[in-house]
Amino acid sequence: LKLVQSYADHLSTPHHILGRPHLNLVMSSVSMSCASVMCTRCRKAGHLAKNCQSLPFLLLQSVAEERVQRQAQRSENEKRFEARQAENEKKCAELECRRAAWEARQATRPRNEADKWESDSARTESTAPSAGFVDEVDSAEVERRASMDKEVRKLAKVLREICKLEKCEHLETL
């Protein structure tokens, strides 16, 4: 009882006498300085529940009615998704049918002269290299250019080692 009496006296004493601000002034300054105010209804920052424009003050539907509405919306979305899937499958089947028909037409169509070059031999008189060209190739030059490649040098070394092993008469068996 004495504690309540002393607290009441404290509240009735002006804050300038006590040397510190009054509790109500402190609380009001804290609420004013808080820049990140959050609405308790829509959970968005920047406004209070009394100023909320996102949600109405009173519920438009009960929680059960909202649940039924969400379930209906979900089932409608699923039906639309299944319809799109069926339409896509139909389009894919049609595309495969057209592709098969095109390939059948391509297989049965007569080849013209432009396509004939793919199946002809490369050793015809018109494409055979001339005799002068063959004489111009120097085997030493070919070996020199081949030895410049790192992979060729590595494989040549492996072949030399294999030849050395083949010449040995007594090899250890693994």
Side-chain angles (χ1 to χ4, degrees), residues 42-58:
C42 67
R43 305 281 187 222
K44 293 180 182 176
H47 64 277
L48 296 173
K50 67 179 184 175
N51 301 330
C52 184
Q53 300 293 324
S54 301
L55 296 174
F57 184 73
L58 299 175

Side-chain angles (χ1 to χ4, degrees), residues 45-158:
H47 64 277
L48 296 173
K50 67 179 184 175
N51 301 330
C52 184
Q53 300 293 324
S54 301
L55 296 174
F57 184 73
L58 299 175
L59 289 177
L60 299 177
Q61 297 175 337
S62 69
V63 175
E65 290 171 342
E66 287 180 358
R67 184 181 312 119
V68 169
Q69 185 179 10
R70 280 194 312 267
Q71 289 173 347
Q73 182 70 28
R74 189 176 300 125
S75 66
E76 182 180 330
N77 288 344
E78 288 175 1
K79 287 178 185 177
R80 275 192 255 140
F81 175 74
E82 290 172 0
R84 283 195 315 265
Q85 289 291 95
E87 184 178 331
N88 287 342
E89 288 176 5
K90 182 181 173 184
K91 285 182 180 179
C92 286
E94 182 180 318
L95 180 65
E96 287 296 321
C97 182
R98 286 190 299 168
R99 183 177 291 145
W102 180 81
E103 288 175 356
R105 283 194 313 269
Q106 292 297 320
T108 59
R109 76 179 176 106
R111 293 181 163 251
N112 59 12
E113 291 298 320
D115 292 338
K116 193 174 182 181
W117 68 271
E118 291 179 356
S119 61
D120 285 347
S121 173
R123 287 288 186 185
T124 60
E125 290 181 21
S126 63
T127 60
S130 61
F133 178 74
V134 176
D135 292 335
E136 293 174 9
V137 175
D138 186 21
S139 62
E141 180 68 19
V142 172
E143 286 183 26
R144 186 186 67 80
R145 287 188 181 180
S147 66
M148 290 174 63
D149 188 18
K150 183 179 180 179
E151 189 71 23
V152 171
R153 289 193 310 257
K154 190 187 319 182
L155 292 175
K157 181 180 178 182
V158 170

